[in-house]
Amino acid sequence: MTPASPLSYRPEIDGLRFLAITVVLFFHLGFSDWAGGFTGVDIFFVLSGYLICGQIYISLKKDRFSALDFFARRIRRLSTAAFACFLVTGGAAYVVFSPLEMYVVVQNLLGSITFTNNILLMNEAGYFAPSAEMNPFLHTWSLSIEEQFYIALPLAIACLNFRARNFVLLLCVAFAISLSITLFSGSKIYSQDARYFSSLLRVWQLALGGLTFIALQRMPRPIKLFGLPLIGSVMMVAPTFIMHEGAVHPGLWALAPTFGTALMLLSAFPMHSFLARVLSSRIPRYLGKISYGTYLWHWPIIVFYQYVGGDFSDKTRVLAILVSFGMGALSHHMVEQPIRKISTSGKRGFLFSLFAAQTLVLAGLAGALSMRGSNTDTDEYARFKKIQEAGNFATEMPDQCWYQNSGEGLCAFGVLNLEKRPILLWGDSMALSALPAFEALAERRQTSGAVYATPGCPPLLGVVRDVPKASGCLALNLRVLDTLKSAPATDVFLFARWPHYAEGVRNNMWGESGKVDLVDANFKAINAETITVFGDALNALLKAIAPRHHVVIIGAPPEFPYSVPNEMIKKIRFEQPLEQLARGRFDARAKRTISLLNKVAQTNDVTLIKLTDVFCDSEVCHMSKDGIPLFADHVHLSGRGNELLLEALINE
């Protein structure tokens, strides 16, 4: 294979697809060392741009480009496999999910078949957005972005009567504009959560794939620089193991897998690269060939397995990978391969009719799911609705209060009363979930209050989580301390997901994937055990608060391995008893954090409210009371949970 014939089959590209799908699978299945596996989609975007834009470029050079033929080929390649997966997934959701959960399924199914699911997810993105585990169509956001690009591109070419030279210029402009916005827009256009699903911030990756193809086409001979494929592969894979859950993406880190993939496409040819020969060997090549079907099926498999109570251990994760590849193989051989035998030249009308019929069937399925959500047993629906509404976050202020901690953006509550001690609530998302309790406390005391709450930002001094907004967290904590220096005697309440930071993992209770690393004020790693670093930083913070202030630490609440409201609804749905969390199980898992908080409180003569005494008895930690969930998810407080917290605050 030489650059003179770049449309010839390159088996190593299937090997690159295998790498990409493997990274995505390991990430979605929660392998802790693969926390940056969301970059696998970056690889897919570049490969897609290389192949599809390459086809367009060659057709333009030969003056044979037809937008209708292009769309027919896209339908032949993608639609029937997606139709089969969506039909089965929607049917399973009809049987398994509760009526109240149908809204999310219907919305995302419609978003999938209209190629707008990424836009829907952007609008829903946020810290307290609907749980991904309830959305079997979540993964189709990337397919939506691709199809938006491949609908707009041929239409632009057809309308503007572009030739090959204009097409190259169009890709260059799209690449430059999209990359510039990605690197320099920050949070001015999209929030950190929403930007991941943005088409605008992904165009440069698709365009780079096309430009890579064109560059190869114009090269007189392949690049034969020793070590270049190895460098490209490291750039592709390294972010998977270096990046973490809080990283801004796509952003600066996206350059590595994106340009690494382009480098592999430019330099990794089997004729002179050992790595390319490995990638083009039988197993990686085959698993890459079935990667589209594997991607389609893997997420519904994960969602339904977890929904019916399945727990992911290393063994079940491996089994899920094998099942995903197995479904990918079935899709490839039984659906994708037969449909590809249809010629686009003579059967274009048939393909368009087939696509229309598939879309109508899926739209009908969405209608049936919607009716399923509204037609149910009245008493059962009332119970579901009661749990769902009671399990919502009781505050309506999260979006207004995140990062709004000074000046006009200060989140204040209560009434100003100079004769009463004000309240200052300080912490991470736990603090904001507890805001209703403190609003009620301020009303009871006839005093004012303010909340300083930022997700993932514990009230510590001199250390912070190793995340992109770490500097903002450090600045916030210093600003609160500075505020307290000149403030009148204040009741200061510290509330955070303490085990999350003290134990150094995303969820110390249930082995959830991903590490939480604490770094110093210069964002350098600290050579000490995380719990020691945490304890020293909390002690330092308490010593920095003037003695006139009364400090209360709100301890660690019980954490559950599932969303409490969802679990309650599922148990009713399947007529299963509600399993409570054993008190001993929680104490055993969180004992180091609980012991440390007790010690810190005694050393600094501050009050500690033990939430295990609030939510647990000697035997179990309760997820509900009188059929009402105490938690809005697996750890954040619901309205009823806030009522119990308020009782503890009053008795403090």
Side-chain angles (χ1 to χ4, degrees), residues 71-368:
F71 291 139
R73 286 195 299 271
R74 296 298 292 166
I75 290 170
R76 184 181 62 179
R77 170 70 178 90
L78 303 175
S79 71
T80 304
F83 169 75
C85 179
F86 294 171
L87 189 65
V88 173
T89 300
Y94 187 95
V95 174
V96 174
F97 283 1
S98 74
L100 289 180
E101 294 159 346
M102 290 301 172
Y103 176 78
V104 172
V105 177
V106 170
Q107 291 293 102
N108 284 269
L109 173 56
L110 291 174
S112 299
I113 63 179
T114 58
F115 313 127
T116 58
N117 208 31
N118 67 308
I119 299 172
L120 174 66
L121 293 169
M122 282 174 60
N123 292 331
E124 292 180 344
Y127 194 84
F128 296 127
S131 174
E133 67 184 24
M134 304 298 295
N135 184 358
F137 296 103
L138 175 73
H139 63 314
T140 65
W141 68 269
S142 61
L143 304 178
S144 294
I145 288 178
E146 284 194 31
E147 294 318 303
Q148 290 164 22
F149 183 75
Y150 295 131
I151 289 173
L153 198 60
L155 290 179
I157 293 170
C159 293
L160 298 175
N161 197 27
F162 273 10
R163 295 294 181 263
R165 183 175 179 180
N166 306 110
F167 177 65
V168 175
L169 180 61
L170 177 63
L171 289 181
C172 289
V173 171
F175 171 81
I177 293 175
S178 175
L179 179 59
S180 298
I181 295 173
T182 300
L183 296 180
F184 303 116
S185 64
S187 58
K188 296 176 183 178
I189 301 178
Y190 304 113
S191 68
Q192 180 172 332
D193 297 302
R195 66 184 287 126
Y196 186 73
F197 302 109
S198 167
S199 302
L200 182 61
L201 305 187
R202 298 290 188 171
V203 165
W204 67 280
Q205 296 176 317
L206 292 158
L208 178 63
L211 292 172
T212 302
F213 179 95
I214 294 165
L216 267 178
Q217 175 77 346
R218 296 182 175 185
M219 286 180 182
R221 62 184 62 87
I223 298 175
K224 296 182 181 180
L225 186 59
F226 178 77
L228 209 56
L230 180 61
I231 294 172
S233 64
V234 170
M235 290 173 65
M236 288 173 59
V237 176
T240 299
F241 306 102
I242 297 174
M243 294 180 71
H244 43 68
E245 56 169 326
V248 174
H249 197 79
L252 194 62
W253 268 108
L255 296 175
T258 304
F259 281 96
T261 306
L263 197 58
M264 289 291 287
L265 291 170
L266 288 169
S267 63
F269 291 91
M271 68 182 73
H272 57 74
S273 168
F274 172 76
L275 185 58
R277 288 193 290 275
V278 171
L279 289 172
S280 59
S281 59
R282 184 177 179 180
I283 294 177
R285 186 176 73 246
Y286 177 75
L287 294 178
K289 280 181 177 291
I290 65 173
S291 61
Y292 175 56
T294 304
Y295 184 83
L296 283 174
W297 285 98
H298 85 282
W299 186 249
I301 289 169
I302 292 171
V303 167
F304 287 116
Y305 176 73
Q306 290 183 306
Y307 188 90
V308 298
D311 185 28
F312 277 120
S313 62
D314 285 346
K315 290 183 179 179
T316 53
R317 288 186 178 103
V318 171
L319 179 61
I321 291 173
L322 295 176
V323 172
S324 297
F325 277 122
M327 292 303 297
L330 285 175
S331 174
H332 178 76
H333 293 290
M334 299 183 67
V335 181
E336 298 169 51
Q337 287 293 87
I339 202 72
R340 287 180 194 174
K341 295 178 181 178
I342 299 174
S343 171
T344 57
S345 57
K347 298 285 187 176
R348 193 171 67 187
F350 171 77
L351 289 170
F352 284 125
S353 299
L354 178 65
F355 176 69
Q358 291 170 347
T359 303
L360 287 174
V361 170
L362 292 176
L365 175 61

Side-chain angles (χ1 to χ4, degrees), residues 32-60:
S32 58
D33 292 332
W34 298 65
F38 47 82
T39 57
V41 178
D42 301 11
I43 299 172
F44 274 126
F45 281 144
V46 178
L47 295 178
S48 174
Y50 176 89
L51 294 168
I52 308 305
C53 291
Q55 293 175 6
I56 295 174
Y57 178 73
I58 294 298
S59 297
L60 288 171

Side-chain angles (χ1 to χ4, degrees), residues 171 385 415:
L171 289 181
K385 194 70 176 176
V415 293

Side-chain angles (χ1 to χ4, degrees), residues 539-560:
N539 276 313
L541 181 89
L542 295 173
K543 294 183 188 312
I545 298 175
R548 69 179 180 278
H549 301 301
H550 174 55
V551 179
V552 179
I553 299 175
I554 302 175
E559 299 187 18
F560 297 86

Side-chain angles (χ1 to χ4, degrees), residues 581-588 612-613 615-621:
L581 173 65
R583 171 70 181 265
R585 187 182 180 197
F586 174 78
D587 287 343
T612 47
D613 294 340
F615 294 100
C616 309
D617 56 31
S618 60
E619 298 294 329
V620 300
C621 292

